[in-house]
Structures are given as structure tokens and as C-alpha cells.
Amino acid sequence: MARRITKVGVVGLGIMGGGIAEVMARYGHEVVGVEKDEAAVERARQLVEHSAARALAKGKVTEKERDALLSRITYTTRLEDCSDCLLVVEAVPEDFDLKREILTALDAVVPEDAVLATSTSALSVTEIAVTTTDPKRVIGFHFFNPPTVLQLVEVVRTVMTAEDVVEDVVAFAEDIGKHPIVVGDKAGFIANALLLGYLNHAVSMYENRYASREDIDAAMRFGCAYPMGPLALLDLIGLDDAYAILELMYREGRDRLHAPAPILKQMISAGLIGRKSGRGFYTYAAPGSPEVVQDLGTAAPAAAGGETRAISRVGVVGSGTMAGGIVEVFAKAGLDVVFVARGEDKLAGVVQRMGKNLGKMVDKGRMTREDADAALTRVSGSTSREDLADVDLVVEAIAEDLEVKQQLFRDLDRICKPGAVLATTTSSLPVVDCARATSRPQDVVGLHFFNPAPIMKLVEVVHTVSTAPDVVSTAQALCKRIGKHPVTCGDRSGFIVNALLFPYLNDAVRMLEAHYASADDIDTAIKLGCNLPMGPFELLDVVGLDVSLAIQRQLFTEFREPGFAPAPMLEHLVTAGYLGRKTRRGFRTYA
């Protein structure tokens, strides 16, 4: 049975250590906070008092609770003052020698049955533990920043850690309101191992000038509902800290995808390490400030200064969920829309779904009945592609079959008037393969809407090597006109969102098949530690394992990157027919 730990020590009271001490004190524990000198002690005291004051102002604690919290923390410069603590957590900087020095000194001070914990986010807990006289009582206790807010803690056991030590730390984590996940001693643990690979890929995408920093970040915020884009998140984490974790992950696993992107080292050498230095991928109002200010790298507004083609009447080919959603988006934005489907029943289905969606918006007060009726009057359906002859832009939203799409584009090339923009919503096929089916490849562009189109704000505007500049500008301007956020990129597999998302999902599957952690623990670590809306296995089951496998295969085929090869477990599940929620079984089983 786990022991009840009431008095704890925290060595190192910076942002992380101070937050850990505050959390422990908030939950009724006596805390001995240790810093290197009196000046550091005073800084730490002010840090904790300021944080507690913010909690009071936000109503998270009462004045009485705030005062009690502060009274439970004793500040000192002497490790010896931890002599009666049953748990001591070191939270000093990520310096291997410094951490070993601290734990070795604590080893001689604390009781024989005390637990020694390191808050390292990446360093080997095993290599830290072996410098003590009793490595079986050493454990990793990885909090996430800010520790006063994020619930996740990774409890990292080594091959030497005693089982009762794991039980004690898990119980203590729960006692201070955290969600503990027990993992083995592997570089990056769960959350950082998955997160940093994704962030590094985003850096490479930026370094290769595939898309602007703003578009990469906006793509993941609007396309995946992530709270921050990857480059902004790196600035928050600190490029130096991210580089150190990636370097450790690469040294341990030799996965080329974890080898830090060269630009990271260059930026660190130049002192551009993120918010804390005032400049990283973005420039900030001051060191430590979250306010982004314009700099030489700030992207010009979409379509600014570029010629555009007039768009007043648009066409949509298709009758599925995506096609119907795009029709609705255009009509609500005031555009006349003609859509083409294969039969009268398909036409009726699109109009019926649109009427139902608009009715819900009226009921919720998001739209007037007059506006809803006006949108419906702008829509006309047809079973003949010939009725697209006078549209200014046509969007195809049919099946992801290249031959079928190419045949459609041959027809559009024959039917549509000169100067009409021909767009494809493909999410994985090469846009240029559609363009070469026409005699006007300069007029062809990708407009990758996200599902459901009426709700998701993101559209990826994909230009090929042949796309005319005014067509790109027209697509960008149209997206803004219909209330979407356009991001612009070149014609390569996955575009921005899928190229960043699916390798991360694939890494999660590899972690699961290596038996490092369960699907539940991995999902929990990502949601609570990284504040993402869904864990990777929840998301895979929603997307569909067959769809995910097809995209991952496409990425591997195009980039020939060994790390992009689909995880065998994913292939086996698809072969077995376990495709996710749509078949009631994927990584989980559904009722």
C-alpha cells in the first residue's frame, strides 16, 4: 500500500519548480523549496506569490486558501533542510551533470526510505539514478508547463526503480490533483516523443520554404483545432530546449525524423530561441512577452497586390457530404451556385441537407429566415455538366480516384469558358495530374476544404508548377470572401495538414506496437500534456484506419522517408476490417 507523503522538497524554483511547489502546497503538503542563493530564493518567493495572486484573482482559490498555501512553503539555500522529506523533486535546468550532482547530494541527506525524483523531460533517468547509492528509490516525475494548470505527470520508472516507489509517487500525484501515467525510461517519454517529432517536421517544412510560418501555424490551428501552431509552440517551449530533447531522441532511436532540423541549430547560435529571448520563428514585443509584432518575415496578406479574376457564379461537381457543404458555403456567401450530380435523387438530397442545415442555423439564431431562403434561391442543380459552361469557377468534389477526376477535368476543359478557374478538392492526389488532363493547366488549382465544409475555416490553396499567379490570388480572395482562412502551399503529398498530422499518428501507432504504453495512456498524455482536442487513437478511429493508411502510404511513396512507412499494426488492423468507428472496431471497440 502506498505511503502517505506529507512533507516534500523541491530543488530549483524556476517557472517549473516554483509551479510544482505551489501545486503541492495548494493540496495541503508542507514544502521545502531550495534555491542556490538568497537572491534566487527571493525571486522564487515573488514568482510563487505572484502566481498565487493570479489564482486568487481568477477565483481558483480563496484568500484564506492563498494565505495557507504560501505559509506551507519554506524557502532555503540548504539541501540539508530536506532531511525529513519523504519525497524530494529536483527541478533544476536540463543539465545532466547538475542533476546528478543534486541527486547525489540529496542521497546523503534524506532518510533511507525517501524517494528521489527528477523532473527531467528528456534526460535518461537511469543514468541520473546510477550515481546515487540506492538507484531503486530514484524515479522520473515529469510535470508539464505550467504545472499549476496541466494535469498530466509522467512517472518514469527505470529497470532499477522499486515497485513501492512507483506506487508512492503515483499515489502522491493523484493526491495533488494530477493524472499520472507510468512509462519506461525512453527519451521523450510519451508526450515529448510524439510532440517533438511533429514540431521538427514543421520546422523542416518551413526551412524548405514550402509554406510560410503563418500558414503552417494557421493550417494546424484551423485544420486540426490545435490551440497553437507548431512554430509558435516551439517559440513558447524554447528552441534550445526542443533541440536538446530532439538530439537525445535521435541519439537513442537513430530515427532521422528526430534529427533536429539544421535551422534550429542556426537560430539557437544566433540567440533566436523563442519568446524568452524576444525572437524565434516570430518576433515578440519584448523577451518573455506573448505579443507577436511584425518583422521582415511577416507574410503579406493573401491576394494583396495580386491580380484576381472576377467570380460571381460558381459550379460544384459532386453530391456527397463535402460537395453539399461547399455548395452551402458558396450560397451563404452570396454566390450563385450550380451543382452537378448523377441523378435527380442526388440533386434532391443535396438541397434537402442544405435546407436542414440552414434551418438549424435559423433555430439557433445564427441566421435569419430571410437569409436562409435567399441562400437556397441561389442554388440550382443539374444532371448535365454542360450547365457549367458559364461559371467563373468550378470545384470538383467527387471520389478520390485519379482516373475519374482526370476524365472530369477533360470534360471541364471542353465545357467551361476560357479563363474559368478549375479547382479540385483532393486531399491526397497530385493536383498537377488533374491539370495535365486539360489544355489549360495554368487555370487549375487545389482548393482543399476540410470536413464539414460549412464549419471548418481552413482551405488549403494548392498551386502546381503550372498554376498562374492570378489563379492563386483568385483562390485566396475567394476563400476570404466565403469566410474561410486560406493557407497556400505547393503541390506535394499531404499538403500542410496531412503531411504533419499523419506521420505523428503513425508514430503513435509505432509506440503502441512497441508496447511502450497503452492506447489509453498515449491518448491521455497527448490530451492532458499537450492540450490537444483528441488523442491519436481517438482521431485515427474517427478518420478511419483505411483512410489513414491510404494517406500514410501516399506520403511514404512520395517522400521515400523510412519513418513514413505505415506502421505494421495499422496495416494489420485494416486487413482485418477493423477500420474505426464506422465498423465499430479499430484501436478501440464501440457499441
Side-chain angles (χ1 to χ4, degrees):
M1 184 176 178
R3 291 179 295 171
R4 167 74 176 164
I5 297 174
T6 57
K7 188 170 184 179
V8 295
V10 179
V11 181
L13 299 173
I15 293 175
M16 180 61 78
I20 293 171
E22 181 183 345
V23 169
M24 293 173 170
R26 184 182 295 181
Y27 281 84
H29 298 280
E30 296 297 320
V31 181
V32 177
V34 185
E35 260 297 353
K36 59 183 179 180
D37 53 38
E38 291 298 337
V41 164
E42 188 54 34
R43 285 195 299 270
R45 191 193 311 274
Q46 292 177 7
L47 180 71
V48 173
E49 288 178 355
H50 180 64
S51 178
R54 286 203 312 269
L56 175 63
K58 293 179 179 179
K60 294 181 179 179
V61 296
T62 64
E63 189 171 344
K64 183 178 179 180
E65 289 170 336
R66 188 273 313 270
D67 293 343
L69 179 163
L70 295 175
S71 71
R72 295 188 190 107
I73 304 177
T74 302
Y75 298 90
T76 179
T77 59
R78 290 164 32 89
L79 289 176
E80 290 79 7
D81 291 334
C82 295
S83 61
D84 57 347
C85 295
L86 287 181
L87 169 65
V88 183
V89 181
E90 69 77 13
V92 299
E94 289 285 89
D95 182 302
F96 187 70
D97 291 335
L98 178 59
K99 288 182 181 292
R100 290 204 297 188
E101 179 185 334
I102 295 292
L103 259 66
T104 300
L106 286 169
D107 193 30
V109 170
V110 299
E112 291 184 359
D113 59 345
V115 176
L116 297 178
T118 171
S119 67
T120 182
S121 60
L123 298 175
S124 168
V125 179
T126 303
E127 292 186 37
I128 295 172
V130 293
T131 61
T132 69
T133 59
D134 189 10
K136 70 177 182 293
R137 66 169 172 173
V138 179
I139 197 166
F141 203 15
H142 178 217
F143 288 76
F144 286 73
N145 196 24
T148 52
V149 176
L150 293 181
Q151 286 186 295
L152 181 70
V153 290
E154 290 172 318
V155 177
V156 187
R157 69 194 311 162
T158 73
V159 292
M160 301 172 288
T161 309
E163 191 59 39
D164 60 333
V165 169
V166 177
E167 293 174 0
D168 288 346
V169 174
V170 167
F172 180 78
E174 292 172 341
D175 195 37
I176 60 172
K178 299 300 180 184
H179 188 112
I181 292 176
V182 180
V183 296
D185 185 19
K186 171 185 174 182
F189 313 135
I190 296 177
N192 280 342
L194 294 178
L195 179 68
L196 268 296
Y198 150 70
L199 297 180
N200 196 43
H201 190 186
V203 175
S204 296
M205 187 177 281
Y206 170 75
E207 185 175 28
N208 293 329
R209 300 185 181 182
Y210 177 63
S212 71
R213 62 189 181 184
E214 290 87 356
D215 279 357
I216 291 171
D217 280 353
M220 299 312 290
R221 286 190 293 111
F222 293 117
C224 297
Y226 284 6
M228 295 183 76
L231 302 179
L233 180 55
L234 275 164
D235 276 357
L236 177 62
I237 293 170
L239 274 62
D240 51 344
D241 293 333
Y243 183 91
I245 296 171
L246 283 166
E247 188 72 16
L248 287 165
M249 288 168 57
Y250 177 70
R251 273 192 231 148
E252 183 175 293
R254 294 296 190 270
D255 185 343
R256 202 190 67 79
L257 294 177
H258 294 153
I263 195 174
L264 283 174
K265 188 172 184 179
Q266 297 166 24
M267 293 176 73
I268 293 167
S269 297
L272 311 179
I273 57 176
R275 282 193 193 180
K276 56 190 174 186
S277 68
R279 189 174 168 194
F281 288 101
Y282 296 90
T283 300
Y284 300 87
S289 171
E291 181 188 351
V292 176
V293 297
Q294 287 196 350
D295 58 20
L296 293 175
T298 303
E307 292 185 4
T308 61
R309 302 183 186 182
I311 304 292
S312 60
R313 182 172 171 81
V314 299
V316 177
V317 181
S319 57
T321 302
M322 178 60 78
I326 294 171
V327 169
E328 180 182 328
V329 168
F330 283 143
K332 286 191 297 188
L335 290 158
D336 290 329
V337 188
V338 56
F339 72 96
V340 177
R342 287 180 295 179
E344 294 293 337
D345 57 331
K346 301 289 185 181
L347 296 177
V350 170
V351 175
Q352 185 179 17
R353 287 198 305 270
M354 181 175 168
K356 185 177 180 181
N357 291 343
L358 295 179
K360 288 180 180 177
M361 293 185 70
V362 172
D363 293 341
K364 293 177 180 179
R366 296 177 182 172
M367 193 177 201
T368 65
R369 171 51 64 188
E370 291 76 14
D371 286 344
D373 291 341
L376 282 168
T377 62
R378 295 187 193 104
V379 174
S380 61
S382 173
T383 58
S384 172
R385 294 176 182 175
E386 303 296 330
D387 289 332
L388 298 170
D390 64 342
V391 299
D392 303 306
L393 174 144
V394 60
V395 179
E396 72 79 11
I398 60 176
E400 285 286 272
D401 183 307
L402 183 57
E403 288 187 12
V404 174
K405 286 185 186 290
Q406 286 180 322
Q407 183 55 56
L408 170 60
F409 271 84
R410 292 187 191 98
D411 279 356
L412 295 177
D413 185 35
R414 174 181 57 82
I415 295 167
C416 293
K417 65 184 180 182
V421 176
L422 310 181
T424 172
T425 62
T426 183
S427 62
S428 58
L429 298 173
V431 177
V432 74
D433 282 349
C434 295
R436 68 186 178 90
T438 75
S439 63
R440 44 170 127 175
Q442 72 278 1
D443 293 338
V444 179
V445 70
L447 280 179
H448 179 213
F449 287 78
F450 284 70
N451 199 24
I455 295 173
M456 300 296 285
K457 286 185 66 68
L458 183 71
V459 177
E460 289 177 316
V461 177
V462 186
H463 56 82
T464 74
V465 292
S466 304
T467 309
D470 68 325
V471 169
V472 176
S473 296
T474 300
Q476 292 169 335
L478 178 66
C479 288
K480 290 196 167 189
R481 182 176 170 186
I482 62 177
K484 300 301 181 184
H485 187 108
V487 297
T488 306
C489 59
D491 182 24
R492 72 181 200 189
S493 186
F495 309 139
I496 298 175
V497 174
N498 285 349
L500 292 179
L501 177 64
F502 282 89
Y504 144 76
L505 297 176
N506 199 49
D507 282 349
V509 180
R510 290 185 183 280
M511 183 178 284
L512 176 65
E513 67 185 6
H515 305 291
Y516 179 66
S518 68
D520 287 344
D521 279 352
I522 293 170
D523 277 356
T524 299
I526 290 300
K527 289 189 292 182
L528 298 185
C530 303
N531 204 25
L532 298 189
M534 298 180 76
F537 298 106
E538 288 177 299
L539 183 55
L540 280 161
D541 277 356
V542 168
V543 171
L545 273 59
D546 52 341
V547 174
S548 303
L549 178 59
I551 293 172
Q552 195 61 43
R553 282 175 172 166
Q554 189 73 27
L555 290 170
F556 178 58
T557 298
E558 174 140 334
F559 294 105
R560 307 300 172 98
E561 171 58 59
F564 285 180
M569 176 180 277
L570 180 61
E571 295 185 311
H572 295 165
L573 287 168
V574 172
T575 300
Y578 302 152
L579 308 182
R581 288 191 180 182
K582 59 190 174 186
T583 60
R584 298 185 180 180
R585 183 168 177 181
F587 286 99
R588 294 183 176 86
T589 301
Y590 302 88

